[in-house]
Amino acid sequence: MSLEFLWYIPNQVTPGHRGDAVTVDHNSLDTLTAQAKALEEHGWKGALIGTGWGRPDTLTVAAALAARTATFEPLIAIRPGYWRPAHFASAVATLDHLTGGRVRINIVSGKDNLGAYGEHESDQAHRYARTKEFLQLVRKLWTEENVTFRGEHFQVTDSTVLPRISPHGGRLHPKLYFGGASEAAEHVAATEADVQLFWGEPLVGVQERIERLRSLSEELGREHAPLEFGLRITTFVRDTTGQAWAEAEAKVAEMAKNQGAPPQDPHRPTAVGQQRLLDLATRGDVLDDNLYTAPGKVGGGGAGTTWLVGSPEDVAKSLRKYQDLGITHFVLSDTPYLPEIERQGNQLLPLLRE
């Protein structure tokens, strides 16, 4: 299976995300378009656009960027509680039609400020049961007509989404990416997702999860194409190994001085996947060959909790080890975003495509 390399576009109201150098007009259409066009020019397939209440709406941002680019594929993160499935299926089908099939979707089920957009707090089992139905119904609406669905959380009657999604090669509809490390999340991924995304864990942990998800897929009677796997991680690349580690350590020291605490998101520490990352620091600052865990102790969160550090050759070697485990989708990033799009596109991606 071919490899796919995506980046991350900072969909934030507050500037300076993870130390990004752009502060003036950081989330303007011109700034974000410059990043999307740079991704096209430097070999990237597209970029993840993050979601959460209090951030710009991802589907709107994706539509604007797709209109200004030619090949850029947005990986649009969304939350099932924020969208009703039929409304969402229609909106995505429209954007997919207008872009000639460039849309990808990342389903996020972690906690959010649900009350702010009219939802209610629910336990983990409820959230993932709802997510499972959401994925089932959206897929039906994209591939079938006159859909009637009666679930515990969602219902539609004689529903046909227009325009219809046109197949592109072997792609019947936008690929559905999914994250989550809890048992409930893995059951959803094993049966309903197209791609399971992992954070930057050590190789042995990723291998265990891939093997478990493959077994679960068989045990639970997965009806779709085999589950694919992806890695979302920060890649800290410099010309030489020594330069990379010196600058990475200096950046962590600066983070410790300026922040000195784990992420401020009140929901993030409760997420199983995030807690797994934070726990890695107790095993050492560097795991495997060059997986740097220290950022998680001083404010790094999500994909910024662990970094792969080194020369282009070092980082490429590490990513190829994840590939050997079955990872085919890579969502990489580092800050400042625009210069790193260019640096890693020019220095790292050619090594990964050899």
Side-chain angles (χ1 to χ4, degrees), residues 5-197:
F5 299 98
L6 295 92
W7 193 252
Y8 175 84
I9 284 184
N11 187 34
Q12 304 281 336
V13 170
T14 304
H17 183 250
R18 292 190 182 142
D20 190 27
V22 177
T23 55
V24 178
D25 296 328
H26 72 284
N27 65 349
S28 70
L29 183 55
D30 285 346
T31 297
L32 298 180
T33 298
Q35 295 183 26
K37 287 186 173 180
L39 289 165
E40 290 183 321
E41 294 167 4
H42 295 279
W44 303 91
K45 191 78 170 180
L48 171 64
I49 304 175
T51 189
W53 188 253
R55 299 170 71 171
D57 177 73
T58 50
L59 198 66
T60 305
V61 172
L65 295 181
R68 287 197 169 192
T69 53
T71 63
F72 170 78
E73 297 189 12
L75 174 53
I76 307 167
I78 68 100
R79 293 177 183 270
Y82 180 82
W83 287 91
R84 301 293 296 177
H87 179 204
F88 171 75
S90 175
V92 171
T94 300
L95 183 57
D96 198 66
H97 167 72
L98 293 173
T99 62
R102 285 194 273 148
V103 175
R104 300 163 183 245
I105 300 298
N106 180 32
I107 302 293
V108 181
S109 286
K111 287 188 175 183
D112 194 20
N113 188 4
L114 302 180
Y117 50 86
E119 282 290 307
H120 61 278
E121 292 294 334
S122 55
D123 61 21
Q124 184 188 74
H126 177 274
R127 282 189 287 111
Y128 282 105
R130 179 177 64 178
T131 296
K132 183 174 183 177
E133 280 191 15
F134 186 93
L135 287 163
Q136 289 173 335
L137 180 50
V138 165
R139 196 188 292 267
K140 280 181 174 293
L141 290 166
W142 283 342
T143 58
E144 302 175 18
E145 298 183 21
N146 307 114
V147 174
T148 295
F149 183 94
R150 295 286 179 267
E152 180 182 351
H153 304 277
F154 304 113
Q155 301 83 36
V156 299
T157 301
D158 195 24
S159 181
T160 299
V161 165
L162 296 172
R164 302 303 297 160
I165 289 179
S166 300
H168 294 271
R171 172 192 181 272
L172 299 179
H173 56 71
K175 201 172 285 287
L176 293 164
Y177 293 67
F178 184 75
S182 67
E183 182 178 356
E186 289 190 339
H187 277 68
V188 174
T191 55
E192 306 301 335
D194 294 320
V195 180
Q196 166 73 41
L197 281 177

